[in-house]
Amino acid sequence: MTSIGTGYDLASSTYSPDGRIFQVEYANKAVENSGTAIGLRCKDGIVLAIEKLVPSKLLVPGGNKRTQTVDYHVGVATAGLLADGRHLVGRAREEAAHWRSTYKEPIAGKQLADRLSSYVQAYTLYSSVRPFGSAVILGTFDHTGPALYMIDPAGNFFGYRGIAIGKGKQLAKTEIEKLKLDELSVRDAVREAARILHVVHDEAKDKDFELELSWICEASKNRHVMVPADIAADAEQFAQQALNPDEMED
């Protein structure tokens, strides 16, 4: 069977003869062309980190964030088309707010992941819409402890101890697998996340990037917030030293 759409990629409601939905595959390709995003579930919290590529030096630093807060205890990191990611964040906020209004309690991470993935999957069923070109890493911290999920453009969601999406996901996953996440604190995980993103960054193709770091832990009162500037700077320095140990010694 050919790997080219040849007419079967005109609508997401059409299968190819070998059982593929090409528009979903194209959406996954949009995610793979994006900067790398990783999520780590540690013994005492969640760490989200993003390699936000900077296409122009004229852009204002800190803009177009790919890390967003959905509810007090829920944070997301997106990879792929930025506008699609923002739309999914908005939908997740609506689901979280509706749950609070109905049940008078914060939404559980698994329930939110299930609802958001069902919404994403609906956009793969009809010819009048297209799949979202964005994948979402969703981190939560509730009475059961920290939890980490990933939702892909097909509408699948899975729970993870560590996950990477984006162009450097394969190398990032290899590095994550080396970590003892059950023994790792969020402070150490922030440093490791910064190191991993510096390792996977391709300087030949992508010159500049901003490192976005956020966490949900006891230090943040179990709320999703950006990592404090001093801790983020320490993580950056740790990453640079890990990449260039000889230069740091000199």
Side-chain angles (χ1 to χ4, degrees):
M1 292 291 181
T2 178
S3 61
I4 303 175
T6 59
Y8 296 103
D9 59 351
L10 300 179
S12 58
S13 58
T14 303
Y15 282 94
S16 70
D18 51 350
R20 298 162 64 181
I21 302 177
F22 284 102
Q23 283 205 8
V24 173
E25 294 185 17
Y26 298 159
N28 281 315
K29 190 64 177 178
V31 175
E32 293 173 3
N33 290 335
S34 175
T36 308
I38 64 176
L40 302 176
R41 192 191 76 187
C42 316
K43 65 178 182 180
D44 56 348
I46 297 289
V47 171
L48 301 176
I50 291 183
E51 172 205 18
K52 190 179 73 176
L53 302 177
V54 180
S56 172
K57 293 183 179 179
L58 299 178
L59 291 173
V60 177
N64 295 327
K65 287 187 177 296
R66 290 185 174 270
T67 307
Q68 302 284 346
T69 298
V70 170
D71 201 344
Y72 293 121
H73 66 299
V74 182
V76 300
T78 63
L81 302 181
L82 181 60
D84 284 15
R86 282 202 302 261
H87 180 86
L88 292 178
V89 170
R91 178 66 184 193
R93 287 171 175 166
E94 291 176 8
E95 293 286 358
H98 180 71
W99 185 279
R100 274 186 182 272
S101 175
T102 303
Y103 300 106
K104 312 304 179 187
E105 65 178 10
I107 189 170
K110 187 175 181 179
Q111 293 293 335
L112 181 57
D114 179 59
R115 289 180 171 221
L116 187 58
S117 65
S118 296
Y119 179 77
V120 171
Q121 194 262 341
Y123 276 71
T124 69
L125 300 176
Y126 309 105
S127 58
S128 58
V129 295
R130 64 163 176 81
F132 290 103
S134 180
V136 175
I137 299 176
L138 189 148
T140 71
F141 200 123
D142 54 27
H143 65 279
T144 62
L148 188 69
Y149 303 92
M150 192 275 287
I151 303 167
D152 67 17
N156 301 312
F157 86 94
F158 300 95
Y160 289 92
R161 297 168 60 197
I163 183 62
I165 55 179
K167 63 172 58 180
K169 68 176 182 179
Q170 294 300 335
L171 179 55
K173 285 181 180 179
T174 301
E175 293 294 323
I176 291 173
E177 289 172 356
K178 299 176 183 178
L179 303 177
K180 297 180 179 180
L181 293 172
D182 291 336
E183 303 173 8
L184 204 64
S185 68
V186 288
R187 293 267 182 152
D188 293 331
V190 167
R191 304 178 89 191
E192 291 294 342
R195 180 187 64 81
I196 291 171
L197 289 183
H198 275 81
V199 167
V200 303
H201 179 67
D202 188 351
E203 293 186 358
K205 296 181 180 179
D206 306 304
K207 297 297 182 182
D208 298 320
F209 78 99
E210 291 180 14
L211 184 63
E212 289 187 13
L213 295 166
S214 64
W215 62 12
I216 316 172
C217 59
E218 194 173 317
S220 66
K221 299 181 180 179
N222 294 342
R223 294 188 174 197
H224 177 253
V225 297
M226 301 303 292
V227 172
D230 58 331
I231 298 178
D234 174 72
E236 284 266 17
Q237 184 178 1
F238 173 81
Q240 294 288 352
Q241 187 173 2
L243 284 178
N244 306 298
D246 296 334
E247 292 182 11
M248 298 301 293
E249 289 177 4
D250 295 340

